[in-house]
Amino acid sequence: GTLVGTGFVPQSAAALTISSDVSAANTALSTIAASSIATAFGANLATGTATFSGSPPTSLGGATVTVVDSAGASRPAPLFYASPTQINYYVPDGTAAGNATITISAGGLSGSATTPVAAVAPGIFALNAGGLIAAIVLDIGAGGAQSFANVYQVDTSQNVVALPVDLSSGQVYLEIYGTGIRNAKNVAVTIGGVNVPVFSSGAQGVDAGLDQINAGPLPQSLQGRGQVNVTVTADGQSANVTNVTIK
């Protein structure tokens, strides 16, 4: 018998390749930080597509990720998402600064990439392709009553779009979500070109690798501005620019 025309490709013809390894929130940033969320893109990275429930496992979709840091320490990376073209993983705690070797193994194949690791590698998550910031609105009313609101809504076509933030009802704060920020000593936020006080930043505390910046109150001068850019810097490094819409 012959295999010609059956579409069969011998295993030896396949290769696992990592084309880029970046911050999961800031894919233009090819530096990652320990205790942050990173994304590897490539081919044949996993044997299937899988997500996790509970705490992230070290094997998902038939794939494993190993991080060997600049000091030679090897650690398995917990995985959030795996597919043949993309893996989202947690950069293990204690990964030393300097060049790390990221090795992905799946289906009998493996491939490696070299990625610089730094203490801080800031990225801000976006909720849609338009860069809508991943954040929660905290409104503190006159009597100190707290209420929460979203920065997004889902339109009739099931698209995630901006929900304008109302500054008229009290002091309004943003809880901003990113990664690679928790080790920063100085975090600054500007919204629509206006500096907004940052009163805390660090690990979000529930979800692995997720960082939270609490900024506000948003100045009343932003009222009526519509969509405005949000810029975040962590120890002088700029994160990706996101946006929010102000009523």
Side-chain angles (χ1 to χ4, degrees):
T2 175
L3 292 171
V4 175
T6 63
F8 176 80
V9 178
Q11 187 69 31
S12 59
L16 191 160
T17 54
I18 302 172
S19 55
S20 65
D21 186 53
V22 294
S23 163
N26 183 1
T27 55
L29 183 63
S30 57
T31 300
I32 59 178
S35 311
S36 75
I37 305 170
T39 298
F41 295 102
N44 298 309
L45 301 180
T47 56
T49 298
T51 55
F52 74 100
S53 59
S55 57
T58 53
S59 178
L60 193 64
T64 60
V65 176
T66 304
V67 178
V68 179
D69 68 16
S70 62
S74 175
R75 299 175 178 90
L79 309 183
F80 300 103
Y81 171 83
S83 75
T85 57
Q86 177 180 344
I87 288 182
N88 295 354
Y89 68 94
Y90 179 79
V91 184
D93 298 336
T95 299
N99 284 340
T101 301
I102 314 298
T103 301
I104 300 176
S105 300
L109 305 172
S110 71
S112 297
T114 301
T115 302
V117 176
V120 176
I124 302 299
F125 287 105
L127 298 175
N128 62 14
L132 175 62
I133 194 168
I136 292 174
V137 180
L138 167 61
D139 192 319
I140 301 180
Q146 298 187 3
S147 60
F148 292 93
N150 290 321
V151 296
Y152 74 94
Q153 55 194 329
V154 178
D155 69 12
T156 53
S157 305
Q158 300 303 302
N159 297 310
V160 173
V161 296
L163 177 64
V165 177
D166 187 354
L167 300 185
S168 65
S169 54
Q171 290 199 311
V172 176
Y173 297 80
L174 277 187
E175 299 180 355
I176 299 168
Y177 296 103
T179 195
I181 298 163
R182 65 185 60 185
N183 294 322
K185 307 285 192 297
N186 295 292
V187 175
V189 174
T190 69
I191 300 178
V194 180
N195 285 319
V196 176
V198 172
F199 62 89
S200 67
S201 70
Q204 179 249 6
V206 178
D207 299 301
L210 192 64
D211 295 337
Q212 180 174 331
I213 300 167
N214 298 314
L218 304 194
Q220 293 296 319
S221 61
L222 290 171
Q223 269 191 300
R225 289 278 303 274
Q227 181 177 304
V228 287
N229 282 344
V230 181
T231 64
V232 174
T233 60
D235 285 355
Q237 295 184 62
S238 296
N240 49 306
V241 176
T242 54
N243 60 71
V244 67
T245 297
I246 310 290
K247 189 172 179 179

